[in-house]
Amino acid sequence: MSFLPSSVALQGLTATESEFIYIVFFAGLFVFQFAFGTRIQVYFALNDIGRGLGKLKVMKEKSRKEAIDYLVNVGKAPNDPSQRVDQFLDYVTIMPVGIDPNGLVNKIDHVVTTNNDRVRAEVTALIGQNNPVTVSISENLLEVATALNMIHKIVRHYYILGKKTNSYFTLIQLQMLMPMIIQESDALLNAVDSFKVGQPVGDGIGPVSVSRLMIGKEKRVIAKDTVMAISEYKGRKLYVVKADGPMAYVGQPGIAIRNVIEEMGVKPSAIIMIDAALKLEGEKTGEIAEGVGAAIGGIGVEKFQIEDVATKNKVPLYAILVKQSILEAITVMRKEIAEASDKVVQTLQRVIEEKTKEGDDVIVAGIGNTLGVAQ
Amino acid sequence: MMSSVPSGDKKSKLLVYSVEECPVCGQKTKRAFAVGDYVTKDGAKCTKCGNQTRVALVYAEGTKPSG
Ligand SMILES: [Zn+2]
C-alpha cells in the first residue's frame, strides 16, 4: 500500500519517463501537502480537543453535583441549593487595574478578602448552620466546582473560536495544552474526595509539621483564620503560626507574621517558613529542600506582605520545602509526604540552631491548607 | 497526528490511615481513617502504658494494584 512508485511498476518505461513520473508524483505530493496539510491537522486537532472538552464537561458536572450533595447531606441545607450554586459558579472577581502599580497589592488583597468574606457568608446562609469545618469544606468544594466550570468555559471558547475561524494556530496551541489541562482538572476533581471527608491534603505538610510545636500550648487568633502559639526550643522563643485547623483554611500568614512583629513588638532573628513545593517531574515526592525567601504560593499578596515586613525589619527569611506534585498537593496526603514531617522538624531544629542564638526570637510559619490538621 | 489527550489512566487504590501516637512511650498504632479524624485529635488509650494517644498523622498509602 505504498504511494511511492516502486521500481517494479516502472519496469518497461524508459529512464526519462520514469523520472518524469517521479517528479510529477512528488510535485503533486508537495502541492497537496501545501494546500491541505494544515486542514488535515486542524481536523485532527478539533477531534482531539472535542474529546478533551467532553471530559472536562463531565468533570465540571461531577464537581458541581458533589458540592450540592455535600451542602444537602452534610450541610443540611434547608432548601434546594442547586440554583444558588449555579449562580455561585459564574460569580466573577474583578481584579484591580494594574496600570498604576503603586499600592496594587493592597487593592488585590482588598478584592480577594471581600470575595472570601462573601463566599463564607453565602455558604453559611445556604447551609443554615455554622459548624466551621462544614462551612470551610463547602467553601473549598464550591471553589473546585468554580475552577472546573471556568476551565471548561475557556477551553470551549477557544475550541469554538478556532472552529469558526478555522484558525490553525489557535487549535494547535490548544491541542498541545490539552493534556496538561486535563491533568490539572483531574487533580482538582480528585481533591473533592479528600475534602468531603476532611482528610489532610499534601499541601497541609507545613501545618502538620508546626502543629507538633503547638500541642498543649495556649493558642491565640493572630489574623483571620490564623492562630499563633509560643513555644521554646534550646533557649529560643518560637512564635509558631498556622491556619486554624482542622478547618479547610489557609489563613492569613502574611498578616499574622506582620502582627507578631509590628503589633506584638517581637524582634525575630529569623522567619522560617515551611511549605509544600511543586516538584519537577523526576523528583521524589516527600523530598525536602531548603532555601531562603518567602515560601508561599497563591496570588502573591501574602508573599508580598511577608517579604515587606521582613525587609523593613531586616529579618532573614528561610524556607523548608516538601516536594510534591500538584495532584499530591490537593488530594489526601501521601505516606511519603506525611512521613517527611519528622525530617521537616529535624531540619527546622537544625536551621534554628545554625541561624539563631540562645535568647533569640524566631517566627515559624506552617503554610498551606490545614484541613484535618488541628493544633 | 496522534491523539494527545490522555485516556483515563489506571488508578491504584489509595487506603487512608490514621496513626495514633502515645506521647509518653511513643508507641504508634495504625488504623483505618474514620470520618472526623484530624491530626492532634485524641485517640484511644495507649495499649502499652495507658496514656492518652493522639492522632499524629493521617495519610494515604497505595495498595499494589492486584492483577
Ligand atoms: Zn504509651
Side-chain angles (χ1 to χ4, degrees):
Chain A
M1 271 269 296
S2 172
F3 292 108
L4 287 174
S6 69
S7 54
V8 182
L10 294 174
Q11 274 169 9
L13 295 171
T14 64
T16 30
E17 276 174 324
S18 72
E19 259 169 31
F20 178 72
I21 291 174
Y22 227 82
I23 290 165
V24 166
F25 177 80
F26 278 105
L29 202 65
F30 180 74
V31 171
F32 178 80
Q33 163 78 11
F34 198 76
F36 300 108
T38 53
R39 281 197 206 183
I40 292 169
Q41 286 199 17
V42 161
Y43 172 77
F44 280 117
L46 276 172
N47 248 339
D48 218 12
I49 302 163
R51 220 166 332 118
L53 196 59
K55 270 187 198 160
L56 288 175
K57 188 159 183 244
V58 172
M59 287 184 196
K60 120 189 150 151
E61 270 157 16
K62 192 163 174 231
S63 67
R64 172 186 173 272
K65 193 178 168 298
E66 293 269 17
I68 292 173
D69 286 352
Y70 187 84
L71 292 173
V72 172
N73 299 332
V74 183
K76 306 267 175 261
N79 307 309
D80 179 19
S82 313
Q83 201 192 346
R84 208 65 203 89
V85 167
D86 287 336
Q87 283 168 356
F88 190 99
L89 297 185
D90 283 324
Y91 204 90
V92 288
T93 305
I94 302 160
M95 279 298 157
V97 63
I99 47 178
D100 180 12
N102 184 28
L104 186 60
V105 176
N106 289 333
K107 291 180 199 163
I108 296 176
D109 188 26
H110 177 64
V111 172
V112 171
T113 308
T114 310
N115 184 47
N116 291 345
D117 290 347
R118 168 199 76 91
V119 171
R120 188 162 304 166
E122 210 158 295
V123 169
T124 311
L126 207 58
I127 64 177
Q129 59 155 298
N130 49 12
N131 175 342
V133 177
T134 313
V135 172
S136 70
I137 290 175
S138 309
E139 284 174 36
N140 278 269
L141 290 179
L142 284 170
E143 255 170 55
V144 168
T146 310
L148 285 172
N149 186 47
M150 189 52 91
I151 293 171
H152 173 256
K153 261 194 199 181
I154 294 173
V155 171
R156 188 182 56 188
H157 168 76
Y158 284 109
Y159 173 73
I160 296 174
L161 194 71
K163 205 173 177 177
K164 259 189 195 165
T165 56
N166 235 323
S167 164
Y168 175 68
F169 287 107
T170 307
L171 290 168
I172 294 298
Q173 283 185 73
L174 187 55
Q175 188 194 22
M176 287 193 314
L177 288 174
M178 226 38 203
M180 267 84 87
I181 295 174
I182 298 271
Q183 212 175 35
E184 286 212 10
S185 307
D186 215 30
L188 276 169
L189 190 63
N190 274 304
V192 170
D193 292 330
S194 19
F195 273 117
K196 294 196 287 209
V197 284
Q199 291 163 344
V201 294
D203 185 41
I205 185 65
V208 166
S209 307
V210 303
S211 75
R212 298 198 184 162
L213 309 172
M214 300 171 92
I215 291 174
K217 306 283 189 305
E218 191 200 329
K219 268 75 81 171
R220 67 168 100 168
V221 175
I222 189 86
K224 189 186 168 214
D225 302 342
T226 314
V227 289
M228 192 271 295
I230 297 173
S231 183
E232 194 265 334
Y233 178 74
K234 288 200 174 167
R236 284 82 161 169
K237 204 169 177 188
L238 309 183
Y239 293 81
V240 188
V241 172
K242 82 181 264 297
D244 194 2
M247 284 70 83
Y249 292 159
V250 289
Q252 295 187 320
I255 292 175
I257 291 173
R258 195 168 67 197
N259 285 350
V260 171
I261 294 174
E262 288 179 356
E263 282 182 15
M264 292 176 61
V266 174
K267 298 245 171 296
S269 35
I271 298 172
I272 306 171
M273 301 177 71
I274 304 164
D275 195 7
L278 276 194
K279 66 169 187 176
L280 300 172
E281 288 297 337
E283 282 187 310
K284 271 227 302 274
T285 297
E287 229 171 60
I288 293 175
E290 287 177 64
V292 290
I296 186 163
I299 202 164
V301 172
E302 303 282 338
K303 192 165 192 226
F304 173 86
Q305 287 163 341
I306 295 166
E307 285 165 354
D308 190 49
V309 73
T311 309
K312 264 188 210 155
N313 296 277
K314 298 204 165 44
V315 189
L317 281 165
Y318 299 104
I320 301 171
L321 305 167
V322 181
K323 301 284 183 71
Q324 46 198 278
S325 70
I326 176 82
L327 176 72
E328 288 160 342
I330 61 174
T331 55
V332 58
M333 189 180 285
R334 302 294 192 273
K335 191 181 183 192
E336 301 90 308
I337 301 171
E339 287 185 339
S341 58
D342 291 331
K343 249 175 94 187
V344 169
V345 174
Q346 286 164 16
T347 310
L348 173 69
Q349 290 171 339
R350 201 197 67 232
V351 173
I352 293 174
E353 284 169 44
E354 282 174 6
K355 311 291 181 194
T356 67
K357 307 183 297 294
E358 249 176 73
D360 280 354
D361 289 339
V362 181
I363 297 179
V364 178
I367 309 297
N369 192 314
T370 195
L371 176 64
V373 186
Q375 55 280 321
Chain B
M1 194 168 254
M2 291 290 111
S3 153
S4 50
V5 174
S7 55
D9 50 347
K10 306 171 220 112
K11 285 171 200 140
S12 67
K13 197 142 174 53
L14 286 176
L15 293 175
V16 185
Y17 300 98
S18 298
V19 179
E20 290 178 0
E21 190 176 346
C22 171
V24 181
C25 70
Q27 182 177 239
K28 288 180 183 174
T29 325
K30 186 166 141 188
R31 58 167 175 83
F33 172 86
V35 175
D37 279 358
Y38 57 82
V39 174
T40 74
K41 186 190 178 187
D42 284 344
K45 292 268 182 287
C46 175
T47 52
K48 221 161 149 193
C49 68
N51 275 291
Q52 182 70 59
T53 64
R54 227 182 258 123
V55 175
L57 291 175
V58 172
Y59 61 69
E61 223 177 330
T63 50
K64 296 276 171 294
S66 51

